[in-house]
Amino acid sequence: MELGSVSAAHGSVESGTMAGVGKCILVTGPPGVGKTTLIMRICENLKLSNPNIMLQGFYSQEIRQGGERVGFEVVTLDGRRARLASSTISSPESRQWPAVGKYKVDIASFESLVLPELKIREETGLFIVDEVGKMELFSSYFFPAILNILQSNIPLLATAPIPKFGKDIPAVVRLKNHPGATIFTLDKSNRDAMKDRIYPQLAGMLLKP
């Protein structure tokens, strides 16, 4: 699965180029290794080299209070935000929300912001999805939206976590096994160089009809 290690679904380099199969670059790595930072740097480079490209999607980031992480939010590429999960919210409604550890996942908030961002538009040049994780996948509409992107001819740049224990989430396995996917595994030893490995490949995808 790696290009930093590059690999495909079973752990080594693979890139699908089948006709009609969506093109996907999937960046995996443990939590906190810098996947979001990498994605945002690549987006910045793309906008500099091609100011007219329409990037569509979202990234995730921590919500902190007093130096302590209290939740996560999703942010669109034009800066709109919505709560993804919180460890501090306490309301009758939130008692029904699914949980990951101490965090309650606000599915409605997530879907209201993210699902419109994942709709196919003729002018879209690239979709950004950061990340395909356990919290996001509580939405029953999220992964079908990603599969819909993969059925289009619009490239996808996505991230997915490597679990500390146990197996990959089934949806992540499915994404890794997609014939159009190339997988880059990020770690502390390769993260500074990884942008220069991913960017040319992604730029090449954007040039192809």
Side-chain angles (χ1 to χ4, degrees):
M1 328 185 295
E2 292 74 29
L3 199 51
S5 226
V6 179
S7 96
H10 301 303
S12 303
V13 185
E14 243 175 75
S15 173
T17 55
M18 296 167 52
V21 171
K23 297 166 286 190
C24 171
I25 288 181
L26 180 64
V27 179
T28 69
V33 75
K35 297 186 294 296
T36 299
T37 299
L38 173 65
I39 293 292
M40 298 314 297
R41 286 176 178 170
I42 290 172
C43 287
E44 289 168 6
N45 280 25
L46 285 172
K47 292 297 285 184
L48 286 173
S49 63
N50 188 350
N52 295 322
I53 189 171
M54 180 175 172
L55 305 179
Q56 199 171 309
F58 73 96
Y59 63 94
S60 306
Q61 67 180 21
E62 296 180 351
I63 300 171
R64 303 189 76 87
Q65 290 180 0
E68 178 185 359
R69 185 173 68 191
V70 296
F72 299 89
E73 64 181 355
V74 285
V75 186
T76 62
L77 301 181
D78 60 3
R80 290 171 290 121
R81 300 167 183 268
R83 180 173 55 213
L84 171 60
S86 174
S87 63
T88 58
I89 192 166
S90 179
S91 67
E93 181 185 36
S94 68
R95 292 184 192 130
Q96 307 301 317
W97 295 354
V100 176
K102 66 180 181 179
Y103 300 102
K104 292 278 193 173
V105 181
D106 189 343
I107 298 172
S109 170
F110 169 76
E111 290 183 339
S112 68
L113 184 70
V114 166
L115 293 182
E117 287 298 301
L118 301 184
K119 288 184 177 178
I120 306 294
R121 295 181 174 88
E122 185 178 348
E123 64 272 20
T124 303
L126 173 69
F127 279 100
I128 305 293
V129 173
D130 173 47
E131 67 180 4
V132 182
K134 188 178 292 186
M135 291 181 179
E136 293 84 356
L137 289 164
F138 276 119
S139 165
S140 60
Y141 299 104
F142 174 58
F143 196 64
I146 291 176
L147 294 179
N148 193 40
I149 291 169
L150 291 173
Q151 290 172 2
S152 75
N153 199 39
I154 302 171
L156 169 66
L157 175 60
T159 69
I162 292 177
K164 292 181 179 178
F165 309 103
K167 299 179 180 179
D168 274 325
I169 302 164
V172 173
V173 173
R174 188 171 175 185
L175 195 55
K176 287 181 175 181
N177 282 321
H178 190 274
T182 303
I183 301 166
F184 293 78
T185 297
L186 195 65
D187 58 40
K188 290 182 179 179
S189 70
N190 67 20
R191 62 185 178 185
D192 292 334
M194 191 60 79
K195 177 175 68 69
D196 294 331
R197 304 179 78 173
I198 296 176
Y199 182 79
Q201 184 163 339
L202 183 60
M205 286 182 179
L206 297 175
L207 292 174
K208 296 175 184 175

